Amino acid sequence: MNNAPTALFDSYEQDFQQFIQTIGKKLEADDSNNERGDERKATLRRVDMELDEADEMVSQMEIEIQGIPQSIRAEYHTRLRTAKADLLRYKKLLKVQRAQVARSDLLGSSAQPFTSSDDPYGTNSDRARLLAGTSRLEDGTKRLQESQRIALETEDQGADILMNLRTQREQIEHARTTLQTADSSVDRATNTLKKMIRQMYKQRVVTAAIIIILVLLIGLILWSKFT
């Protein structure tokens, strides 16, 4: 596992680029104009969901950039701004294309002939709109479930991060206590050595004094014998 401070940012950025490439193909491809009616609406709904995922990736990138060292953070800020600009551009493009589809639907519905009210569903177009509404409801339910899943995953990740931080804090406190204990032991050992050194110097002085006294006594004895 890559433990570099930029690893998670790079991973989220890679996921974001994958979403953006897929979105760009659906919104900017030449064959997108060939899609009509419900087919194009379904494509735009999928693009909307993918933009939500891309937006989530950008949010994660904003969180991870806080842990990047200051020496290289400027580069990642630039990459984050580029990602935000791409995301905003495709959101605007999606809005424009949705308006175009809505206008096409409005023009198409106005061209439909008047139908009798004997048929509870009206024309086939009415049935198609009913099915499209059901499909949109299902898509909305799926998006809600996906949002709930992402929220739960984010909550789990947050809990794991808090647990790791708590463990690290306990380790730091334990290390600090150990260092304090070691410092106290070193101070005691230093004091003991100083006492031993002073005692050694005292013993040397006493020994030197005894030797001097003995030499003087021997000298006096020899002097008394010769005199």
Side-chain angles (χ1 to χ4, degrees):
M1 181 177 180
N2 190 352
N3 293 324
T6 61
L8 285 176
F9 183 97
D10 294 335
S11 176
Y12 288 127
E13 185 182 29
Q14 184 178 2
D15 293 340
F16 172 81
Q17 292 300 332
Q18 291 177 354
F19 279 115
I20 284 298
Q21 290 175 4
T22 303
I23 292 168
K25 291 178 181 178
K26 293 177 181 177
L27 293 181
E28 297 177 340
D30 294 335
D31 57 354
S32 62
N33 295 326
N34 297 327
E35 295 180 336
R36 291 293 183 270
D38 294 337
E39 183 181 0
R40 188 57 183 165
K41 290 178 182 178
T43 299
L44 294 180
R45 285 195 297 271
R46 288 193 294 270
V47 168
D48 192 16
M49 296 175 62
E50 290 167 351
L51 281 173
D52 289 340
E53 293 288 345
D55 199 357
E56 178 66 22
M57 295 300 102
V58 170
S59 299
Q60 293 297 331
M61 290 163 64
E62 287 180 332
I63 295 174
E64 294 302 327
I65 204 171
Q66 303 301 322
I68 295 177
Q70 290 285 350
S71 58
I72 60 174
R73 190 178 295 180
E75 173 189 351
Y76 286 85
H77 270 299
T78 301
R79 291 161 61 176
L80 179 60
R81 286 194 296 270
T82 302
K84 287 183 177 180
D86 291 339
L87 182 63
L88 181 60
R89 180 167 65 89
Y90 283 117
K91 283 184 176 180
K92 291 180 178 179
L93 184 58
L94 174 63
K95 186 176 180 180
V96 170
Q97 295 195 11
R98 274 182 165 173
Q100 292 175 351
V101 171
R103 184 167 60 252
S104 299
D105 287 345
L106 181 61
L107 294 175
S109 60
S110 63
Q112 293 293 330
F114 178 77
T115 59
S116 173
S117 60
D118 293 337
D119 187 354
Y121 293 103
T123 64
N124 291 332
S125 177
D126 293 331
R127 294 191 183 92
R129 283 196 292 271
L130 179 60
L131 292 175
T134 304
S135 177
R136 284 195 295 271
L137 180 61
E138 292 176 353
D139 288 341
T141 303
K142 290 179 181 179
R143 288 180 58 188
L144 180 60
Q145 292 174 349
E146 184 67 15
S147 299
Q148 291 176 344
R149 183 185 64 79
I150 294 174
L152 291 174
E153 290 179 355
T154 304
E155 184 179 356
D156 292 338
Q157 291 177 357
D160 291 338
I161 291 173
L162 289 176
M163 183 63 69
N164 292 332
L165 289 175
R166 182 180 300 173
T167 302
Q168 292 176 3
R169 184 182 65 183
E170 292 176 353
Q171 292 175 350
I172 292 173
E173 291 178 351
H174 179 70
R176 183 173 60 186
T177 303
T178 303
L179 287 175
Q180 291 175 350
T181 303
D183 189 37
S184 300
S185 300
V186 171
D187 289 339
R188 288 196 298 270
T190 302
N191 292 331
T192 302
L193 287 174
K194 288 180 179 178
K195 291 179 181 179
M196 293 175 64
I197 291 172
R198 286 197 296 269
Q199 187 67 27
M200 180 185 66
Y201 285 150
K202 289 180 181 180
Q203 290 177 355
R204 287 185 179 180
V205 171
V206 172
T207 302
I210 293 173
I211 291 173
I212 292 171
I213 293 172
L214 289 175
V215 171
L216 291 175
L217 288 175
I218 292 171
L220 288 174
I221 292 172
L222 293 176
W223 180 79
S224 63
K225 285 185 177 182
F226 287 113
T227 57

